[in-house]
Amino acid sequence: ADYDNTYDLRLFNQIRMTRKLSMFPVGLVSNGIISSPIVRDGKIVGFYDGWAGGRLFSIDMAGFAINIQLLYEAQEKLGPSLMMPFKAGYEEDGFLRKLGVPPQDAEPLCWNCTEVLVWHTQTFPHATTDGNNISDYEGTNIPNLLDSV
């Protein structure tokens, strides 16, 4: 949980299902309406975010959960180097890469990322670099998710 977000209590029931690494949409992120994994046929195939920035995990800090066992295993293996790196805009990506779970193996929660259960209540604008053409996301969760917000 983070100080600048509002959480639907149903999110915590979803998070309890996390086996290793789970991901879910976040509403009202910077210049975009949502930041979300792109899900096709129950698998994460990419990320929908107003700013990809060359990140493997283009996801908001409030958009993922980690099973404590995975965290313990990573801490045992990596020690202090598991700490989240500080590079503005790249903290999530740097940390998640260290866990060794590729994006496509993460678990899409919130009904295959079709519902937003966490919202930013304080946002800071930054320039977007990626144009999002909705037709590029046909057959994924993104069109329905955008319609629902």
Side-chain angles (χ1 to χ4, degrees), residues 1 6 10 20 34 38 47 62 74 77 91-92 94 110 128 142-143:
T6 301
R10 294 176 297 162
K20 283 191 173 192
I34 59 165
I38 300 168
F47 295 94
K77 180 179 174 183
E91 294 92 342
E92 301 90 340
C110 299
T128 58
I142 298 301

Side-chain angles (χ1 to χ4, degrees), residues 67-79:
N67 183 292
I68 195 70
Q69 186 61 42
L70 176 63
L71 201 54
Y72 284 143
E73 290 167 5
Q75 176 65 38
E76 193 170 296
K77 180 179 174 183
L78 300 172

Side-chain angles (χ1 to χ4, degrees), residues 2-8 11 117-121:
D2 201 359
Y3 74 95
D4 66 342
N5 299 320
T6 301
Y7 300 88
D8 183 312
L11 178 65
L117 298 181
V118 57
W119 298 87
H120 272 279
T121 49

